[in-house]
Amino acid sequence: MDDSRGQKRSGLFAFGFAGLVSAAVLFAVAQLVSVFFATSSAPGVALGSTFIDFTPPWLKDFAIATFGTNDKLALFISIGIVAALLAALVGLLARRSFAAAAAAILVLAAVIGAAVITRSATDPMDLVPVVVGTLLGLGTLKWLTGLATTSYSPAAAEETSSGPSRRKFLLASSLSLLGALVVAGVGASISATRNAAEAARLALGLPAAKVKAAKVPAGAQVELAGMPKFVTPNEDFYRIDTALSVPRLDPAEWSLRVHGMVENEFTMSFDELLGQDLVESYLTLTCVSNPVGGDLVGNAKWLGYPLRNLLERAVPQNGADMVLSTSSDGFSASTPIEVLTDDRMALLAVGMNDEPLPLEHGFPVRMVVPGLYGYVSATKWVVDLEVTRFADKEAYWTTRGWSERGPIKMSSRVDVPRSFTQLPPGEVVMGGTAWAQTTGISKVEVKIDDEPWQEAELAEEATLDTWRQWRYVWKGGSPGNHSVTVRAYDAAGEMQTSERADPVPNGASGWQRVQFSVTDS
């Protein structure tokens, strides 16, 4: 009886493993072939992007709050786990009926194909990777389940030749899995060597700015261990967007279409953009998903062309109140036209911290707009600007329950000490950042435990559109648990609201409180 159960378990494992290996072949081959087609023709990218499109706001916020900038990695891992479980189930189904298993694979392939064809910048030819991968995956499943049937059927268990047959199955399945991994690696290697966008970026020499940014005051940085740099390095700058696979646009082929409710529609090439009078500006960007005290905020020096100049050329018609910007991957943002035409430095950016935009931050061109959350303004890989009306068009996140305008709320946070830090007795130096874009920060106050509010020392201000750092020295207290709360005031004297609000639908608000402890020795 025990041998019979063991044989059955071994058989189930074999068929499940056959399904898993076949899925690996399907995805690896499709990934390799997708190198020669659109980025979204890769199954993982297409499925993940489609999932993001249908993600409700509460799940998006949960993912960002839980995984931060690793949210896309978490999504890929989740897709892999689900795919592996489905593949194993298909393999078990093939034990009873290969026809049923094949039908299940074709249904899954149709789902993947639908995800591919509905992505922006794809056409029917981009289904080729899925078709080729599906055919080879089916062939692999047919072959391996045939070997499994020969090796693990009840009749085979009674034959003395079942041992060699099983070794043949294990060898075949192992080699197939190894082959899938090699194919996936080759696909990744070819994709890297074919990356014209990165090569063009590395070779690009940005023109000098017609108007240079004012030098950052030396006193803008609070010199305290644990404090963020006033200018965030590109590699540390947060990245939150809907692109699972970073668009790789060749600037030689990039163009921006400006159209809609305008007197003069036109298309601008990258070389034409670089030939304009470019300006530099320091600007702090903030994600609407940033929680109170969160780190989805960064400050950089941007090089670009003022969007107000671009719109002056287009001449918006009366009644237009919004510019719908669209990226190469289909993402769109709704920006109030008055924000793009007033005196703030809203840019069509080509540079970030004295180098061309990194690929993941929008190369070759993106938008940066002071005073608005990124989801309504900071479109990366931008290729289309349509002058329109809020009453006529909706953007990507607006259709998912978010506010259509998204002004950034005044905010402050404690960077030092971190939550639940244990500190030695004596003097404690605290520090943090605050921002109130387009108006600036005039004062920051801190509160230790339930003591009265105390004014913190402000670092020098760079511009009204950047964050401002602060510092406070606490003389120390009794050993035990303590807390520090922070709030800010803008240049008009308005105090940051204490009202707690979640990121949905227009950004988080409230005062941050950090818990820490003082040891007794």
Side-chain angles (χ1 to χ4, degrees):
M1 182 66 68
D2 289 341
D3 286 345
S4 175
R5 290 178 179 174
Q7 294 289 345
K8 185 175 181 179
R9 283 195 298 268
S10 297
L12 292 174
F13 172 82
F15 280 92
F17 189 57
L20 184 63
V21 172
S22 301
V25 170
L26 188 159
F27 277 88
V29 170
Q31 180 68 38
L32 173 60
V33 179
S34 72
V35 170
F36 304 98
F37 294 86
T39 301
S40 296
S41 65
V45 173
L47 288 172
S49 298
T50 301
F51 179 83
I52 289 176
D53 285 349
F54 289 97
T55 299
W58 66 266
L59 184 55
K60 168 184 175 288
D61 282 341
F62 171 79
I64 292 175
T66 305
F67 303 107
T69 54
N70 293 316
D71 57 337
K72 294 176 180 61
L73 175 61
L75 177 56
F76 273 125
I77 292 174
S78 299
I79 290 174
I81 292 173
V82 172
L85 291 174
L86 289 176
L89 290 175
V90 168
L92 294 175
L93 180 60
R95 181 170 179 262
R96 295 182 177 275
S97 170
F98 179 79
I105 290 178
L106 292 176
V107 170
L108 292 174
V111 171
I112 297 173
V116 169
I117 203 64
T118 54
R119 304 313 304 162
S120 175
T122 59
D123 56 44
M125 284 300 296
D126 292 309
L127 293 173
V128 170
V130 175
V131 172
V132 174
T134 300
L135 291 175
L136 290 179
L138 278 171
T140 303
L141 183 65
K142 179 69 173 177
W143 178 42
L144 293 181
T145 53
L147 291 175
T149 299
T150 303
S151 306
Y152 292 94
S153 65
E158 299 175 0
E159 297 178 4
T160 57
S161 61
S162 62
S165 296
R166 293 178 184 179
R167 285 193 292 272
K168 184 177 180 180
F169 167 79
L170 292 174
L171 178 63
S173 56
S174 298
L175 289 177
S176 297
L177 182 58
L178 178 62
L181 295 176
V182 170
V183 167
V186 170
S189 178
I190 294 176
S191 178
T193 59
R194 287 172 58 88
N195 186 6
E198 179 62 18
R201 178 184 177 276
L202 294 175
L204 179 63
L206 292 175
K210 184 75 171 180
V211 178
K212 290 189 173 294
K215 187 176 180 181
V216 175
Q221 176 71 56
V222 169
E223 300 298 338
L224 176 63
M227 282 290 292
K229 294 182 179 179
F230 179 79
V231 176
T232 310
N234 290 353
E235 62 272 16
D236 297 333
F237 208 96
Y238 79 93
R239 180 199 163 202
I240 298 293
D241 51 53
T242 63
L244 275 184
S245 179
V246 175
R248 300 177 183 274
L249 306 182
D250 186 341
E253 299 178 358
W254 177 89
S255 65
L256 176 71
R257 182 188 178 205
V258 182
H259 64 107
M261 296 176 62
V262 296
E263 298 297 332
N264 302 314
E265 294 191 359
F266 62 91
T267 299
M268 176 179 281
S269 69
F270 189 67
D271 285 341
E272 184 180 357
L273 175 59
L274 293 186
Q276 304 301 311
D277 291 339
L278 305 184
V279 302
E280 289 179 336
S281 178
Y282 285 96
L283 171 62
T284 297
L285 295 185
T286 308
C287 180
V288 71
S289 296
N290 195 43
V292 173
D295 59 0
L296 299 181
V297 55
N299 183 50
K301 181 170 72 173
W302 306 92
L303 172 69
Y305 184 54
L307 280 155
R308 61 173 174 269
N309 295 350
L310 193 80
L311 292 173
E312 283 177 7
R313 175 179 170 184
V315 189
Q317 297 173 355
N318 292 333
D321 61 4
M322 183 257 276
V323 174
L324 186 71
S325 55
T326 304
S327 72
S328 64
D329 68 341
F331 172 83
S332 59
S334 56
T335 309
I337 198 167
E338 67 268 16
V339 172
L340 302 180
T341 53
D342 63 16
D343 59 357
R344 76 186 71 193
M345 201 57 74
L347 298 178
L348 198 59
V350 296
M352 181 179 182
N353 290 335
D354 297 318
E355 64 179 67
L357 291 171
L359 294 182
E360 63 272 18
H361 289 294
F363 181 82
V365 183
R366 67 169 294 168
M367 290 171 57
V368 291
V369 180
L372 297 182
Y373 288 117
Y375 82 103
V376 294
S377 66
T379 304
K380 303 174 184 176
W381 315 288
V382 62
V383 294
D384 189 279
L385 296 180
E386 180 184 3
V387 178
T388 181
R389 302 188 307 168
F390 280 104
D392 297 333
K393 295 291 180 71
E394 288 185 304
Y396 185 94
W397 284 115
T398 308
T399 62
R400 291 159 174 79
W402 294 80
S403 168
E404 64 183 10
R405 295 176 184 265
I408 293 176
K409 298 178 180 179
M410 177 169 35
S411 188
S412 59
R413 74 181 186 197
V414 178
D415 292 301
V416 180
R418 299 290 184 181
S419 295
F420 306 115
T421 299
Q422 289 188 337
L423 301 173
E427 184 177 272
V428 176
V429 181
M430 303 176 176
T433 49
W435 54 93
Q437 284 191 337
T438 73
T439 58
I441 293 294
S442 65
K443 183 169 67 173
V444 169
E445 293 180 330
V446 296
K447 179 192 199 48
I448 306 298
D449 299 330
D450 293 323
E451 297 176 4
W453 289 95
Q454 300 293 326
E455 187 169 349
E457 174 190 351
L458 282 179
E460 289 191 56
E461 183 178 70
T463 77
L464 299 180
D465 295 327
T466 60
W467 56 16
R468 194 169 185 181
Q469 298 189 343
W470 58 267
R471 179 179 181 270
Y472 179 74
V473 179
W474 181 47
K475 297 304 181 181
S478 60
N481 296 324
H482 297 277
S483 68
V484 53
T485 307
V486 63
R487 68 186 183 190
Y489 295 77
D490 68 12
E494 181 179 350
M495 184 177 68
Q496 174 189 347
T497 180
S498 62
E499 182 180 352
R500 301 288 297 194
D502 293 329
V504 180
N506 58 2
S509 67
W511 299 340
Q512 184 192 15
R513 172 175 291 183
V514 170
Q515 305 286 336
F516 65 96
S517 61
V518 174
T519 61
D520 56 4
S521 61

